[in-house]
Amino acid sequence: MEEVIKILKEIDIPFAYDHFAEGESPSPPFICYLTPGTDNFAADGIAYLKVNEINIELYTDFKDLSVERKVESVLDKFGIYYDKLETWIDSEKLFEVLYSFEMEA
């Protein structure tokens, strides 16, 4: 998880694990990140290689390609292969760009 924090600090956008405390959410853009699961390699009941799934959720109040490029350039710098999905959250009036990848634990 230390590597993820290092990446997020370099992106230089406010971030929190899973969510910000109520009333403490910054103005967009901001990031929430989480580790929703694992994809470990195991045999004989032993995890030989532990791999965390990582989600970085970028929130903006408008489609902001410059912020997306900033996030992607840092991920590229760290050699991270990621998948990218985008959605509009009508109830929040925010765009969410989800970067998902795996990282050895």
Side-chain angles (χ1 to χ4, degrees):
M1 193 60 73
E2 293 166 9
E3 184 79 2
V4 175
I5 300 297
K6 184 177 177 181
I7 291 166
L8 293 170
K9 285 181 178 178
E10 186 154 337
I11 293 171
D12 196 32
I13 294 174
F15 65 89
Y17 186 81
D18 190 55
H19 65 281
F20 287 89
E22 191 164 334
E24 294 184 13
S25 182
S27 297
F30 61 87
I31 289 173
C32 293
Y33 73 100
L34 58 140
T35 54
T38 61
D39 187 18
N40 297 334
F41 173 76
D44 301 323
I46 298 171
Y48 288 100
L49 179 63
K50 296 180 181 181
V51 179
N52 288 327
E53 297 170 359
I54 308 291
N55 286 348
I56 293 178
E57 302 166 348
L58 171 65
Y59 294 95
T60 57
D61 49 4
F62 62 93
K63 177 70 175 167
D64 193 335
L65 292 173
S66 65
V67 174
E68 290 178 39
R69 280 192 294 271
K70 183 178 184 179
V71 171
E72 292 165 17
S73 70
V74 172
L75 293 174
D76 291 344
K77 177 183 172 183
F78 280 83
I80 294 173
Y81 172 80
Y82 55 86
D83 288 315
K84 178 180 174 181
L85 295 171
E86 179 181 313
T87 190
W88 168 252
I89 305 171
D90 195 48
S91 63
E92 302 291 330
K93 303 297 186 222
L94 291 172
F95 281 99
E96 175 193 15
V97 178
L98 170 64
Y99 297 92
S100 57
F101 55 93
E102 293 183 340
M103 181 174 279
E104 192 172 326

